[in-house]
Amino acid sequence: GVPGEETEDLLFSLSRSKQITFIPTRHEQGAAFMANVWGRLTGKVGVCLSTLGPGATNLVTGLADAFMDKAPVLALTGQADSKRLHKESHQYIDVVALMRPISKWNTLLHTPDITAEVVSKAIRIAETEKPGVTHIDIPEDIAHMSYDGTPIEMAKVRRGAPDYKAIEKAVTLLQKSERPIILAGNGAIRKRAAKQLRLLSSIYNIPVVSTFMGKGAVSDLEVQSLYTAGMKAKDIPAYALEKADLVIAVGYDIAEYDPSFWNTKDTRPIVHIDFESSETYEYYQPTVEIVADVSAALWELSRVLEEQKMRVFDSWYLSYRTKMSKDIASYSKEPKIPTVPYVVSVLRDHMPTDAILLSDVGSHKMWIGRNFPVYEPGTCIISNGLASMGIALPGGMAAKLAYPERKVVSVMGD
């Protein structure tokens, strides 16, 4: 974050902490991007801090990005003395109201006595699926007061098991299908979800198309991977989605990839597997929804398929895989003038499989989304919901802080 007069009491307290390190940044937006990427990579809340007024407004873009890309982030903002919040005064704006549209929950800390409850609630809500942004606004006089409370340790939230009738319906649809396909989104790259998705795909030979946010849910080295969809222009993976007679959307957010680009409002069934029910959308009307922990839903689906002795599907998708592989490989030949897809190809050749690439926003993002193969979940970070420029450099710093032993590459330019 960026220090400020209204946050100095909090920062003086943090300076005595043996567990928390405060990292000063040049700009609050960069601080929010760092917390954003930290949250996306680790699954644990990233925390950013600003002072009141312009400090708080500078956080907004990074927090909006985290909100749309489902990153667990807690924002702390300094605020004017509580005795002047009821009137027009210097640098005072209603930051709680400002943050409301881009946060899962936020509040004003109006007394120190509720600090433990407020902080625990903010972290719990930020990290609970689907993750997102929470915010605490701290008036200067409240921050100056002492508080002797102890943190509240919250039990891990576990979602209910997937509904057995929904699982049965999904199994029936798979049994009737000849050309099923999996569309893997942001919710599919959680470690446990990716593990179960890989098993389902490989055991029953079901191809997987990922969104930009879902890259790495299934390794692009696997024959079942049809790489990435997300271009507005018609591309090879989109043709495969059109050819399929059943689409299984796993952890898919409509903000990632508009369904009107791949769905034609026909009678083709869609199975929606996610932590939340689907958005109401003209081009996305699931036949069945399995609303539960994604990994648990995939595990249960695989268990019932095994119990029913489900057949292995034929490789109807191989021509699409072959076309896409050849097209990506065609950019590896060194041109007279270096091009973005050529540089992307060189990067992939030199980066270890667990290295982390962060793409900023611009035309190069589309090439990275399309042409950069990914082998592990969480190794390609792209801002896609809000698509905000400026995330790659602070995001790269956050990645290196989270995983100092791994190679990190930030890609910028337009």
Side-chain angles (χ1 to χ4, degrees), residues 26 34 67 127-129 251 274-275 303 311 323 336:
R26 287 294 187 95
M34 288 181 74
F67 179 74
E127 292 182 352
T128 300
E129 293 289 351
D274 205 359
F275 301 97
R303 187 191 69 77
R311 73 189 187 281
K323 286 177 186 175
K336 291 181 180 179

PDB file of all heavy atoms in Angstrom, residues 26 34 67 127-129 251 274-275 303 311 323 336:
ATOM      1  N   ARG A  26       4.429   2.466  -5.141  1.00  0.00           N
ATOM      2  CA  ARG A  26       4.452   3.816  -5.699  1.00  0.00           C
ATOM      3  C   ARG A  26       3.034   4.376  -5.853  1.00  0.00           C
ATOM      4  O   ARG A  26       2.841   5.584  -5.868  1.00  0.00           O
ATOM      5  CB  ARG A  26       5.144   3.805  -7.074  1.00  0.00           C
ATOM      6  CG  ARG A  26       6.651   3.617  -6.997  1.00  0.00           C
ATOM      7  CD  ARG A  26       7.316   4.816  -6.319  1.00  0.00           C
ATOM      8  NE  ARG A  26       8.762   4.729  -6.370  1.00  0.00           N
ATOM      9  CZ  ARG A  26       9.503   5.302  -7.296  1.00  0.00           C
ATOM     10  NH1 ARG A  26       8.941   5.995  -8.265  1.00  0.00           N
ATOM     11  NH2 ARG A  26      10.799   5.184  -7.268  1.00  0.00           N
ATOM     12  N   MET A  34      -1.236  -6.007  -6.773  1.00  0.00           N
ATOM     13  CA  MET A  34      -0.395  -6.972  -6.058  1.00  0.00           C
ATOM     14  C   MET A  34      -1.248  -7.874  -5.173  1.00  0.00           C
ATOM     15  O   MET A  34      -1.083  -9.103  -5.159  1.00  0.00           O
ATOM     16  CB  MET A  34       0.662  -6.250  -5.218  1.00  0.00           C
ATOM     17  CG  MET A  34       1.763  -5.605  -6.039  1.00  0.00           C
ATOM     18  SD  MET A  34       3.015  -4.783  -5.010  1.00  0.00           S
ATOM     19  CE  MET A  34       3.898  -6.198  -4.361  1.00  0.00           C
ATOM     20  N   PHE A  67     -12.485  -8.081  -8.236  1.00  0.00           N
ATOM     21  CA  PHE A  67     -13.901  -8.426  -8.097  1.00  0.00           C
ATOM     22  C   PHE A  67     -14.389  -9.233  -9.295  1.00  0.00           C
ATOM     23  O   PHE A  67     -15.059 -10.252  -9.139  1.00  0.00           O
ATOM     24  CB  PHE A  67     -14.720  -7.142  -7.943  1.00  0.00           C
ATOM     25  CG  PHE A  67     -16.201  -7.350  -7.824  1.00  0.00           C
ATOM     26  CD1 PHE A  67     -16.758  -7.842  -6.655  1.00  0.00           C
ATOM     27  CD2 PHE A  67     -17.046  -7.054  -8.886  1.00  0.00           C
ATOM     28  CE1 PHE A  67     -18.132  -8.041  -6.544  1.00  0.00           C
ATOM     29  CE2 PHE A  67     -18.412  -7.241  -8.788  1.00  0.00           C
ATOM     30  CZ  PHE A  67     -18.957  -7.741  -7.613  1.00  0.00           C
ATOM     31  N   GLU A 127     -12.438 -15.047   1.001  1.00  0.00           N
ATOM     32  CA  GLU A 127     -11.859 -16.329   0.582  1.00  0.00           C
ATOM     33  C   GLU A 127     -12.903 -17.382   0.242  1.00  0.00           C
ATOM     34  O   GLU A 127     -12.588 -18.386  -0.400  1.00  0.00           O
ATOM     35  CB  GLU A 127     -10.937 -16.868   1.679  1.00  0.00           C
ATOM     36  CG  GLU A 127      -9.682 -16.043   1.866  1.00  0.00           C
ATOM     37  CD  GLU A 127      -8.738 -16.608   2.920  1.00  0.00           C
ATOM     38  OE1 GLU A 127      -9.136 -17.570   3.629  1.00  0.00           O
ATOM     39  OE2 GLU A 127      -7.610 -16.099   3.042  1.00  0.00           O
ATOM     40  N   THR A 128     -14.152 -17.179   0.655  1.00  0.00           N
ATOM     41  CA  THR A 128     -15.198 -18.165   0.392  1.00  0.00           C
ATOM     42  C   THR A 128     -15.597 -18.116  -1.081  1.00  0.00           C
ATOM     43  O   THR A 128     -15.762 -17.054  -1.663  1.00  0.00           O
ATOM     44  CB  THR A 128     -16.435 -17.888   1.279  1.00  0.00           C
ATOM     45  OG1 THR A 128     -16.050 -17.973   2.652  1.00  0.00           O
ATOM     46  CG2 THR A 128     -17.534 -18.900   1.013  1.00  0.00           C
ATOM     47  N   GLU A 129     -15.773 -19.300  -1.677  1.00  0.00           N
ATOM     48  CA  GLU A 129     -16.155 -19.353  -3.088  1.00  0.00           C
ATOM     49  C   GLU A 129     -17.514 -18.703  -3.324  1.00  0.00           C
ATOM     50  O   GLU A 129     -18.427 -18.905  -2.531  1.00  0.00           O
ATOM     51  CB  GLU A 129     -16.211 -20.815  -3.554  1.00  0.00           C
ATOM     52  CG  GLU A 129     -14.869 -21.518  -3.576  1.00  0.00           C
ATOM     53  CD  GLU A 129     -13.951 -21.029  -4.700  1.00  0.00           C
ATOM     54  OE1 GLU A 129     -14.414 -20.251  -5.573  1.00  0.00           O
ATOM     55  OE2 GLU A 129     -12.791 -21.419  -4.701  1.00  0.00           O
ATOM     56  N   GLY A 251     -16.796 -24.290 -13.762  1.00  0.00           N
ATOM     57  CA  GLY A 251     -16.235 -23.064 -13.203  1.00  0.00           C
ATOM     58  C   GLY A 251     -16.213 -21.921 -14.196  1.00  0.00           C
ATOM     59  O   GLY A 251     -15.320 -21.080 -14.162  1.00  0.00           O
ATOM     60  N   ASP A 274     -20.553 -25.443 -11.003  1.00  0.00           N
ATOM     61  CA  ASP A 274     -19.880 -24.273 -10.447  1.00  0.00           C
ATOM     62  C   ASP A 274     -20.257 -24.110  -8.983  1.00  0.00           C
ATOM     63  O   ASP A 274     -21.147 -24.786  -8.462  1.00  0.00           O
ATOM     64  CB  ASP A 274     -20.262 -23.020 -11.236  1.00  0.00           C
ATOM     65  CG  ASP A 274     -19.205 -21.927 -11.141  1.00  0.00           C
ATOM     66  OD1 ASP A 274     -18.187 -22.135 -10.446  1.00  0.00           O
ATOM     67  OD2 ASP A 274     -19.392 -20.867 -11.750  1.00  0.00           O
ATOM     68  N   PHE A 275     -19.566 -23.175  -8.336  1.00  0.00           N
ATOM     69  CA  PHE A 275     -19.831 -22.885  -6.936  1.00  0.00           C
ATOM     70  C   PHE A 275     -21.143 -22.134  -6.756  1.00  0.00           C
ATOM     71  O   PHE A 275     -21.718 -22.133  -5.671  1.00  0.00           O
ATOM     72  CB  PHE A 275     -18.690 -22.041  -6.349  1.00  0.00           C
ATOM     73  CG  PHE A 275     -17.348 -22.701  -6.431  1.00  0.00           C
ATOM     74  CD1 PHE A 275     -16.470 -22.401  -7.462  1.00  0.00           C
ATOM     75  CD2 PHE A 275     -16.952 -23.624  -5.471  1.00  0.00           C
ATOM     76  CE1 PHE A 275     -15.219 -23.009  -7.534  1.00  0.00           C
ATOM     77  CE2 PHE A 275     -15.712 -24.233  -5.536  1.00  0.00           C
ATOM     78  CZ  PHE A 275     -14.845 -23.927  -6.570  1.00  0.00           C
ATOM     79  N   ARG A 303     -17.412 -40.741 -10.049  1.00  0.00           N
ATOM     80  CA  ARG A 303     -17.764 -41.943  -9.288  1.00  0.00           C
ATOM     81  C   ARG A 303     -19.012 -42.621  -9.854  1.00  0.00           C
ATOM     82  O   ARG A 303     -19.043 -43.844 -10.043  1.00  0.00           O
ATOM     83  CB  ARG A 303     -17.996 -41.583  -7.822  1.00  0.00           C
ATOM     84  CG  ARG A 303     -18.213 -42.785  -6.906  1.00  0.00           C
ATOM     85  CD  ARG A 303     -18.707 -42.376  -5.537  1.00  0.00           C
ATOM     86  NE  ARG A 303     -20.070 -41.861  -5.572  1.00  0.00           N
ATOM     87  CZ  ARG A 303     -21.167 -42.628  -5.668  1.00  0.00           C
ATOM     88  NH1 ARG A 303     -21.063 -43.941  -5.746  1.00  0.00           N
ATOM     89  NH2 ARG A 303     -22.358 -42.067  -5.688  1.00  0.00           N
ATOM     90  N   ARG A 311     -18.958 -45.696 -21.009  1.00  0.00           N
ATOM     91  CA  ARG A 311     -18.018 -45.999 -22.088  1.00  0.00           C
ATOM     92  C   ARG A 311     -17.006 -44.865 -22.254  1.00  0.00           C
ATOM     93  O   ARG A 311     -17.246 -43.728 -21.832  1.00  0.00           O
ATOM     94  CB  ARG A 311     -18.767 -46.190 -23.405  1.00  0.00           C
ATOM     95  CG  ARG A 311     -19.309 -44.891 -24.003  1.00  0.00           C
ATOM     96  CD  ARG A 311     -20.230 -45.158 -25.178  1.00  0.00           C
ATOM     97  NE  ARG A 311     -20.626 -43.936 -25.875  1.00  0.00           N
ATOM     98  CZ  ARG A 311     -21.558 -43.096 -25.454  1.00  0.00           C
ATOM     99  NH1 ARG A 311     -22.181 -43.323 -24.301  1.00  0.00           N
ATOM    100  NH2 ARG A 311     -21.866 -42.022 -26.175  1.00  0.00           N
ATOM    101  N   LYS A 323      -5.143 -29.247 -35.842  1.00  0.00           N
ATOM    102  CA  LYS A 323      -5.117 -27.938 -36.516  1.00  0.00           C
ATOM    103  C   LYS A 323      -4.562 -26.865 -35.593  1.00  0.00           C
ATOM    104  O   LYS A 323      -3.740 -26.038 -35.995  1.00  0.00           O
ATOM    105  CB  LYS A 323      -6.524 -27.556 -36.966  1.00  0.00           C
ATOM    106  CG  LYS A 323      -7.032 -28.329 -38.165  1.00  0.00           C
ATOM    107  CD  LYS A 323      -8.474 -27.903 -38.476  1.00  0.00           C
ATOM    108  CE  LYS A 323      -9.069 -28.766 -39.577  1.00  0.00           C
ATOM    109  NZ  LYS A 323     -10.506 -28.434 -39.811  1.00  0.00           N
ATOM    110  N   LYS A 336      11.730 -12.210 -40.047  1.00  0.00           N
ATOM    111  CA  LYS A 336      12.717 -11.146 -40.256  1.00  0.00           C
ATOM    112  C   LYS A 336      12.530 -10.034 -39.233  1.00  0.00           C
ATOM    113  O   LYS A 336      13.491  -9.451 -38.749  1.00  0.00           O
ATOM    114  CB  LYS A 336      12.590 -10.604 -41.682  1.00  0.00           C
ATOM    115  CG  LYS A 336      13.036 -11.600 -42.747  1.00  0.00           C
ATOM    116  CD  LYS A 336      12.919 -11.001 -44.138  1.00  0.00           C
ATOM    117  CE  LYS A 336      13.383 -12.013 -45.191  1.00  0.00           C
ATOM    118  NZ  LYS A 336      13.248 -11.464 -46.573  1.00  0.00           N
TER     119      LYS A 336
END
